[in-house]
């Protein structure tokens, strides 16, 4: 049972345009959400997070939006740069005081120069 | 500051051999996580520790897998005996209890022949 889903395995975006990566979840107990970026042969790198009490969090070129009623979150990157080409994972944590993160399967983002 | 350190980066072994993966978390972090990444199952949590105590080992696939954290700066994941299906990239991550974010090491790529 995949509780965190990233339905798009890949996405290609022109440099300078907006990249939008999507993530859906099924567990209503999730209260904290994170996005990670992963380059080949490296570990995932934390990008940005959002608590369930917010609907938006922004950090430079990265913005995460959370729609709790739809159980959906998205990561916006604007403007997209070649260095943003990587695999992006969303992750979620339950509010039971558990530190455990559940990860999606990832979306490979390719920025076209 | 040094990030999470894992060793070895690559390990090739034969079926039936014992394999030990090592992790040094970021100084000051008090939670530690072991993940496994495969094409079929994605990134899955094996076990995590808070303050050196194992909290959730429900992701450990079977008794052949064991993990220890003898002190705040060192953890091991052992597979004995190893099998070809254990071939994967194993990540260690650390964080602070309650803060949500986890910081990943570069991973150990394990190949069991």
């Amino acid at each position: 049972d995949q509780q965190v889903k990233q339905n798009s395995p890949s996405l290609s975006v022109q440099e300078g345009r907006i990249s939008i990566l999507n993530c859906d979840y099924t567990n209503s107990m999730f209260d904290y959400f994170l996005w990670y970026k992963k380059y080949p042969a490296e570990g995932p790198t934390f990008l940005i997070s959002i608590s369930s009490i917010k609907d938006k969090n922004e950090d430079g070129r990265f913005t995460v939006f959370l729609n709790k009623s739809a159980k959906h979150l998205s990561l916006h990157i604007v403007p997209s740069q070649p260095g943003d080409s990587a695999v992006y994972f969303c992750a979620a944590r339950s509010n039971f005081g558990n530190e455990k993160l559940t990860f999606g399967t990832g979306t490979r983002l390719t920025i076209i120069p | 500051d040094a990030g999470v350190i894992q060793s070895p980066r690559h390990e090739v072994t034969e079926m039936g051999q014992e394999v030990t993966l090592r992790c040094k978390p970021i100084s000051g972090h008090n939670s530690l996580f072991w993940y496994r990444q495969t094409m079929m199952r994605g990134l899955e949590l094996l076990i995590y520790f808070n303050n050196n105590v194992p909290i959730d080992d429900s992701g450990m696939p079977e008794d052949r897998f064991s993990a220890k954290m003898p002190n705040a700066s060192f953890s091991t994941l052992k597979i004995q005996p190893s099998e070809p299906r254990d071939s994967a990239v194993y990540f260690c991550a650390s964080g602070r209890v309650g803060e949500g974010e986890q910081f990943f090491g570069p991973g150990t790529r394990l190949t069991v022949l």
Side-chain angles (χ1 to χ4, degrees):
Chain A
D1 177 30
Q2 192 72 25
Q3 296 187 62
V4 178
K5 301 177 185 178
Q6 294 177 257
N7 293 318
S8 298
S10 62
L11 175 68
S12 294
V13 174
Q14 206 77 33
E15 182 180 357
R17 307 295 283 266
I18 184 170
S19 295
I20 300 176
L21 297 107
N22 294 303
C23 180
D24 297 294
Y25 62 96
T26 57
N27 189 340
S28 57
M29 294 301 181
F30 287 147
D31 70 340
Y32 194 74
F33 304 88
L34 307 91
W35 283 95
Y36 283 83
K37 172 181 179 179
K38 185 182 182 304
Y39 292 122
E42 295 184 11
T45 302
F46 170 71
L47 264 181
I48 192 169
S49 61
I50 188 167
S51 165
S52 60
I53 62 173
K54 296 185 175 181
D55 54 18
K56 177 182 174 181
N57 187 26
E58 192 172 354
D59 183 1
R61 296 185 299 115
F62 301 92
T63 303
V64 56
F65 294 92
L66 176 62
N67 182 333
K68 288 188 293 292
S69 60
K71 293 191 177 66
H72 177 84
L73 64 156
S74 60
L75 174 68
H76 293 209
I77 306 172
V78 56
S80 300
Q81 299 174 354
D84 296 330
S85 295
V87 178
Y88 289 78
F89 294 93
C90 67
R93 187 192 70 181
S94 168
N95 63 2
F96 281 128
N98 195 319
E99 305 294 323
K100 181 175 179 177
L101 293 182
T102 301
F103 282 82
T105 51
T107 297
R108 181 177 301 277
L109 175 65
T110 302
I111 305 302
I112 305 164
Chain B
D1 283 342
V4 174
I5 298 172
Q6 290 186 248
S7 64
R9 291 295 311 275
H10 301 273
E11 177 80 33
V12 180
T13 191
E14 292 189 345
M15 183 174 66
Q17 296 297 306
E18 177 179 298
V19 174
T20 299
L21 311 182
R22 297 172 175 80
C23 175
K24 177 178 170 54
I26 293 171
S27 177
H29 284 184
N30 54 1
S31 60
L32 183 139
F33 307 81
W34 282 102
Y35 289 88
R36 178 172 68 176
Q37 185 180 32
T38 61
M39 288 294 292
M40 290 297 294
R41 301 175 66 90
L43 195 62
E44 53 180 345
L45 178 68
L46 301 177
I47 185 171
Y48 84 90
F49 298 81
N50 280 353
N51 298 303
N52 312 339
V53 176
I55 302 299
D56 185 342
D57 65 354
S58 60
M60 295 286 261
E62 49 198 272
D63 291 346
R64 296 185 298 107
F65 285 69
S66 62
K68 293 182 180 180
M69 191 163 187
N71 57 61
S73 58
F74 184 67
S75 176
T76 59
L77 178 67
K78 185 176 293 187
I79 308 172
Q80 165 64 17
S82 58
E83 297 182 2
R85 60 192 168 122
D86 301 330
S87 297
V89 181
Y90 291 80
F91 290 104
C92 175
S94 70
R96 293 189 179 90
V97 174
E99 290 191 1
E101 292 84 3
Q102 297 175 18
F103 298 86
F104 283 74
T108 296
R109 180 173 294 279
L110 173 65
T111 302
V112 183
L113 303 174

